[in-house]
Structures are given as C-alpha cells and as structure tokens.
Amino acid sequence: EAGVAQSPRYKIIEKRQSVAFWCNPISGHATLYWYQQILGQGPKLLIQFQNNGVVDDSQLPKDRFSAERLKGVDSTLKIQPAKLEDSAVYLCASSRGVGETQYFGPGTRLLVL
Amino acid sequence: GQNIDQPTEMTATEGAIVQINCTYQTSGFNGLFWYQQHAGEAPTFLSYNVLDGLEEKGRFSSFLSRSKGYSYLLLKELQMKDSASYLCAVRDHQAGTALIFGKGTTLSVSS
C-alpha cells in the first residue's frame, strides 16, 4: 500500500512569511498526526486528528500555527507568520485508529531565514 | 509529566551486537515503540512492546520492563546500513494516543 505522502519536501522562506504543508495519509487511516522535529531532537506532537475532528492540539502554538482536515482525509498545516525558531522538519503520521502503530511520511524540511 | 532518556551516540563494528537502552517516566504508560530514522528521512517503525518481555523480529529485538521503566533495542549482526538514529517513544494514557519521543540515539557502524 502507498505510504504517507507529504509536500513540499523542502521549503525556504523568510521570517514573517507564511507557509503551508500538505499531508495525504495511508488510505483508510482515520487518525492523523503532525509532529515538529527540530535538529537533534525527537519529534514533538503539534496536533492530532481523528477523522475530521481535533483530538489534541494542546502543543500547537495557536497564535501562528493552524491545521485542518476538512474531509477527514488530507490535512494541511499552516504557519503564519513564521519565526526563525520554526525551522524544523514537519512530519505527518497516520494510524488505522487511535492508539495503533503510526506510520510517518518523508517530512517537509522548513528553513526560515 | 513524561521523561524519556537514551544515550546520544553509540558506535559499533559490522557483525557485532549493540544494545540501545531507554528509560522512561510516565504517569500512565500505554506502550513503548522503537523507530529507526536515517539521516534526512522519516522515522520507520521497528517494534512495539506493551507487556514485559522480549519481542524478536529478525535481527532486531526489543525488551520491556514496566516496573523498571526500562526498555532496550538489541541489534544483531550489525550492517553498515544500520547506521541511523534510533528513537524510543512512549504512549501515555494522560497524553492521549500520540507518541512522546526521546531525543534519539545516533548509531554509527564501521567496518
């Protein structure tokens, strides 16, 4: 089966600009996660969806980050405006259901200058 | 709160066996995962433990002791391609179902 797809793979922007990332989970996976991975660190959860509803967004910086999964399949994560400290890899993961094994996409590498 | 500790770096030679340790502190433990992450790539799932004991999968094995808050990943017959970062991640009832990751252990395998 096809894996988790993400685009773009790389993005370079200047601070205060906005950027959006897209994720297409594995077919049939109801649960979708966005993680932020700063260089040298493990991934940190930003937001979790179950179908098109938000399960956990407690660690999402809501003043600048937003995410949606309107039809319960694809998801977008947006940063507006970006800060230097947002430079990281943004990983999307999906699982068949809540609590099941998560499978990761290739990530989007963001550099904010 | 949650805390996960694993060594930052390890080195080993081809054909050897290496054990990567992970200790964790959580309020509501609900499973431990090991992921492999090659430089510039996404984490890939290696193993899952929720009960005490050893889970074996080919050259890789993972062990869990819930009473000690301890796990290890054992890699046998090391190959150069095993050079990667190994991430220990815990699922905690009180943190929902998302994973809480350690910082990862970078393993370098030399010939």
Side-chain angles (χ1 to χ4, degrees), chain B residues 49-55 62-66 72:
Chain B
N49 296 72
V50 67
L51 299 176
D52 291 351
L54 188 68
E55 294 283 341
S62 58
F63 172 83
L64 175 68
S65 169
R66 288 172 296 171
Y72 68 72

Side-chain angles (χ1 to χ4, degrees), chain B residues 10-16 78-81 83 107-111:
Chain B
M10 297 183 71
T11 59
T13 54
E14 268 187 306
L78 280 174
Q79 303 175 10
M80 298 291 283
K81 67 178 183 179
S83 293
L107 173 66
S108 299
V109 180
S110 59
S111 57

